[in-house]
């Protein structure tokens, strides 16, 4: 059974600081997704990582994938308050289908002024 | 292109009742997946339908069922509601290929009293 572990689960940081969220998974995968969720809202797709070594960047967020280590990271650079949200990683196992994603528990990020 | 829509957005039911939730996918998408989100268990896969057939199912009791219509719209039904069924129910649509990205709807917030 595929397991996905995110850490930390809670992250409080000051504006302007950098931090990294980690996503470990237990079985082989070549597809990993990062989502953002604001309170009471749905999931917004941030990044799709499809191969080993993939790196994607959007604004102050950068995601990477190491399939050999079964690890993805979401790096936040110079955080701003607008980034406060819950971030999820989700994994589809190799040979599996996207429609059965296994999600991490989520990281609740609070950016303080 | 219109996004995924879900109705109703909010619902309050009593234990023992049943409920039906609806999801309309993005035009042209043939796959609809359902997820349950609770604070304790996080996001969990319920089932997925493609061309009116259930392709995959998560580990939920038989009280949870679904169907898909010829226009790709999907419904999920929960019978004999329990307090623990209170959750945000998200549906996601995709074109239907195993590597296609899913797009999530706004969710239906179900409260069971």
């Amino acid at each position: 059974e595929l397991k996905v572990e995110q850490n930390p689960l809670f992250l409080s940081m000051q504006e302007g600081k950098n931090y990294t969220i980690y996503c470990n998974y237990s079985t082989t995968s070549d597809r990993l997704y990062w989502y953002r969720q604001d309170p009471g809202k749905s999931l917004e797709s941030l990044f799709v990582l499809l191969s080993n070594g993939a790196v994607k960047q959007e604004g102050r967020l950068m995601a990477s994938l190491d399939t050999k280590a079964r690890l993805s990271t979401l790096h936040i650079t110079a955080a701003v308050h607008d980034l406060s949200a819950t971030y999820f990683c989700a994994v589809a196992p190799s040979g599996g289908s996207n429609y059965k994603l296994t999600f991490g528990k989520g990281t609740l990020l609070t950016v303080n002024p | 292109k219109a996004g995924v829509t879900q109705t109703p957005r909010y619902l309050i039911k009593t234990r023992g009742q049943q409920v039906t939730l609806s999801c309309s996918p993005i035009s042209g998408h043939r796959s609809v997946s359902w997820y349950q989100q609770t604070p304790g268990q996080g996001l969990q896969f319920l089932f997925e339908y493609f061309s009116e057939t259930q392709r995959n199912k998560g580990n939920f009791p038989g009280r949870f069922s679904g169907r898909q219509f010829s226009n790709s719209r999907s419904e999920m039904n929960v019978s004999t509601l329990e307090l623990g069924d209170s959750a945000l129910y998200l549906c996601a649509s995709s074109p239907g290929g195993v590597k296609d990205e899913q797009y999530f709807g706004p969710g239906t917030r179900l409260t069971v009293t």
Side-chain angles (χ1 to χ4, degrees):
Chain A
E1 182 191 345
L2 172 59
K3 293 190 189 305
V4 179
E5 190 174 301
Q6 257 182 266
N7 65 83
L9 297 183
F10 300 94
L11 179 53
S12 179
M13 52 191 298
Q14 285 187 308
E15 281 191 328
K17 298 293 188 183
N18 304 333
Y19 210 84
T20 300
I21 299 170
Y22 297 88
C23 175
N24 290 90
Y25 52 95
S26 61
T27 63
T28 306
S29 172
D30 54 8
R31 280 164 289 145
L32 190 139
Y33 303 83
W34 284 97
Y35 293 93
R36 168 183 171 144
Q37 187 177 42
D38 292 295
K41 301 293 178 68
S42 188
L43 298 175
E44 174 192 350
S45 178
L46 294 174
F47 300 108
V48 180
L49 302 170
L50 298 177
S51 60
N52 186 43
V55 177
K56 296 232 177 136
Q57 182 161 8
E58 181 73 35
R60 300 174 188 274
L61 300 178
M62 183 174 73
S64 66
L65 178 62
D66 181 343
T67 58
K68 291 176 182 163
R70 298 179 186 169
L71 170 68
S72 179
T73 60
L74 180 65
H75 187 72
I76 303 154
T77 302
V80 293
H81 180 70
D82 285 353
L83 289 179
S84 297
T86 301
Y87 294 84
F88 293 92
C89 64
V91 178
S94 290
S97 52
N98 267 7
Y99 48 75
K100 190 176 180 182
L101 295 176
T102 300
F103 283 81
K105 291 286 188 188
T107 297
L108 175 58
L109 171 65
T110 304
V111 181
N112 304 303
Chain B
K1 214 180 214 182
V4 179
T5 58
Q6 291 186 246
T7 56
R9 295 292 312 280
Y10 303 92
L11 206 47
I12 300 175
K13 289 286 188 178
T14 304
R15 271 181 301 177
Q17 288 185 314
Q18 75 165 14
V19 67
T20 298
L21 312 182
S22 179
C23 173
S24 293
I26 292 171
S27 177
H29 284 189
R30 296 166 64 191
S31 168
V32 174
S33 300
W34 289 89
Y35 293 84
Q36 181 196 63
Q37 185 177 24
T38 60
Q41 299 300 317
L43 276 150
Q44 297 184 91
F45 173 78
L46 279 156
F47 31 64
E48 185 258 357
Y49 287 86
F50 177 80
S51 293
E52 302 179 66
T53 300
Q54 187 182 87
R55 280 201 295 197
N56 216 321
K57 190 176 188 315
N59 296 323
F60 278 81
R63 299 185 298 107
F64 292 82
S65 62
R67 59 178 176 168
Q68 187 180 35
F69 301 94
S70 58
N71 62 357
S72 295
R73 188 177 69 86
S74 177
E75 289 181 346
M76 69 163 280
N77 185 75
V78 188
S79 61
T80 319
L81 283 166
E82 300 177 359
L83 294 179
D85 297 333
S86 295
L88 179 67
Y89 290 89
L90 294 167
C91 80
S93 79
S94 78
V98 294
K99 294 194 176 187
D100 287 334
E101 185 175 357
Q102 293 183 51
Y103 296 84
F104 284 83
T108 294
R109 171 74 63 186
L110 171 65
T111 302
V112 182
T113 62

